[in-house]
Amino acid sequence: MLRENKVIELENITWKREEREILNHISWSVAKGEHWAVLGLNGSGKTSLLKIITGYQWPTKGKVSVLGQLFGKTNIPELRKSIGWVGSSLEEKFHTRPSDSVLEVVLSGKNASIGLYDEISQEDVKKAEELLTQFRIDHLADQTYFSLSQGEKRKMMIARALMPSPKLLILDEPCNGLDLYSKEELLSTIEKMSYLPEGPTLLYVTHHIEELVPSITHALLIANGRTVAAGPKKDVLTEDVLSQTFHLPISLNWEDDRPWIRVKSRN
């Protein structure tokens, strides 16, 4: 039975590729008002999980419901219009359009197109300009995509993802490749966005624990395609759970409601 307050419901999800089990009996529930981190090493199954949630990959077993829609009984392409996804693979698609301006890239998010092909209204332009202001890159509106720094590109792509007012926003390792200053700038922007009253539910995917800003309320930890722990972040982000997830002895400290870790000496 679908529950209206649930953004994501996965029931006993298993996915195999060439007889190899990539995801193993994962059950997970995300409610409205929650913002989740998805944590795990590279190859742990994070990307496969995202592809299942967005309908680009079908589980071998189990049930999937996203935004109240049960997969197998809903129009997946239509559902994707309510889901924003920001990741390096999307950025790469704009490499073929070097002359597109920042404003044009953000506007293209309305119809999830790479480039502008549909009619754009003045209301659309106004919303795009407001998003650029929100992300403090309005002064870059007329500059081309390739003229931006990596941090500016990430802000632009998140603004683009917000154009159609998605109900679910997936940030797939958004700080990857950023220097310390750019990373903290982007995290500050994400933190402010998380508190918007009409903002989307966030899934923040990373293997860097220190990126979990205070507005991230919950965490799902995956190792070898299995759930290690899932729940409120202060309950599940413990030294034991993190050590199990990252296969190393971990020491954990909380500072300003953000978790910071180091590897314990093995001597």
Side-chain angles (χ1 to χ4, degrees):
M1 182 177 176
L2 301 180
R3 292 173 285 180
E4 289 185 5
N5 72 321
K6 295 299 179 181
V7 178
I8 297 170
E9 287 190 275
L10 305 183
E11 185 180 324
N12 212 22
I13 293 299
T14 295
W15 184 63
K16 292 182 179 180
R17 182 175 59 199
E18 298 176 354
E19 298 307 309
R20 179 171 168 246
E21 216 158 52
I22 308 298
L23 296 174
N24 191 320
H25 298 290
I26 289 183
S27 294
W28 182 34
S29 179
V30 175
K32 289 180 181 177
E34 297 173 350
H35 296 310
W36 281 73
V38 181
L39 302 167
L41 292 170
N42 289 337
S44 61
K46 301 190 303 295
T47 299
S48 297
L49 191 67
L50 296 184
K51 287 181 177 178
I52 286 173
I53 290 168
T54 51
Y56 288 106
Q57 198 164 271
W58 212 257
T60 308
K61 295 179 182 177
K63 293 181 181 179
V64 181
S65 169
V66 177
L67 298 174
Q69 303 296 311
L70 183 65
F71 283 23
K73 296 185 177 181
T74 192
N75 183 326
I76 299 292
E78 191 65 27
L79 175 66
R80 287 194 195 116
K81 293 178 182 179
S82 297
I83 303 173
W85 188 339
V86 176
S88 56
S89 60
L90 179 60
E91 280 186 34
E92 290 168 4
K93 293 181 180 180
F94 283 91
H95 289 180
T96 60
R97 303 188 61 86
S99 62
D100 282 4
S101 71
V102 170
L103 181 61
E104 288 171 335
V105 172
V106 173
L107 284 167
S108 73
K110 181 190 176 185
N111 296 301
S113 59
I114 308 301
L116 289 177
Y117 304 101
D118 299 296
E119 187 175 340
I120 296 296
S121 69
Q122 280 303 116
E123 283 187 7
D124 295 331
V125 173
K126 182 181 178 183
K127 181 172 183 178
E129 289 174 340
E130 288 173 349
L131 285 167
L132 291 176
T133 299
Q134 178 186 325
F135 285 89
R136 296 193 294 177
I137 53 172
D138 48 305
H139 60 290
L140 303 173
D142 296 325
Q143 291 196 27
T144 59
Y145 171 83
F146 275 124
S147 69
L148 304 186
S149 69
Q150 280 299 108
E152 290 165 345
K153 284 179 183 176
R154 298 288 159 78
K155 289 182 180 182
M156 176 190 66
M157 296 307 288
I158 297 175
R160 177 185 181 275
L162 292 174
M163 266 302 290
S165 301
K167 296 177 182 177
L168 173 64
L169 178 59
I170 299 170
L171 301 179
D172 188 5
E173 299 191 10
C175 293
N176 189 33
L178 299 185
D179 60 35
L180 181 60
Y181 177 81
S182 298
K183 180 173 76 171
E184 290 301 319
E185 270 277 293
L186 183 61
L187 290 174
S188 175
T189 302
I190 292 169
E191 174 74 352
K192 292 172 184 174
M193 179 184 68
S194 302
Y195 293 112
L196 294 175
E198 300 301 321
T201 296
L202 291 183
L203 296 188
Y204 190 99
V205 185
T206 185
H207 47 261
H208 295 291
I209 308 301
E210 72 278 2
E211 293 176 10
L212 271 59
V213 291
S215 59
I216 300 294
T217 59
H218 291 66
L220 168 70
L221 295 95
I222 303 175
N224 302 318
R226 295 176 180 268
T227 301
V228 179
K233 65 181 181 184
K234 288 286 182 75
D235 293 344
V236 300
L237 294 182
T238 66
E239 292 184 350
D240 286 346
V241 169
L242 290 169
S243 298
Q244 187 179 347
T245 303
F246 294 102
H247 309 307
L248 286 168
I250 297 294
S251 174
L252 170 70
N253 287 298
W254 290 88
E255 187 174 333
D256 297 327
D257 205 23
R258 281 174 67 178
W260 300 85
I261 64 171
R262 65 175 180 82
V263 178
K264 291 180 180 178
S265 172
R266 302 197 206 189
N267 295 335

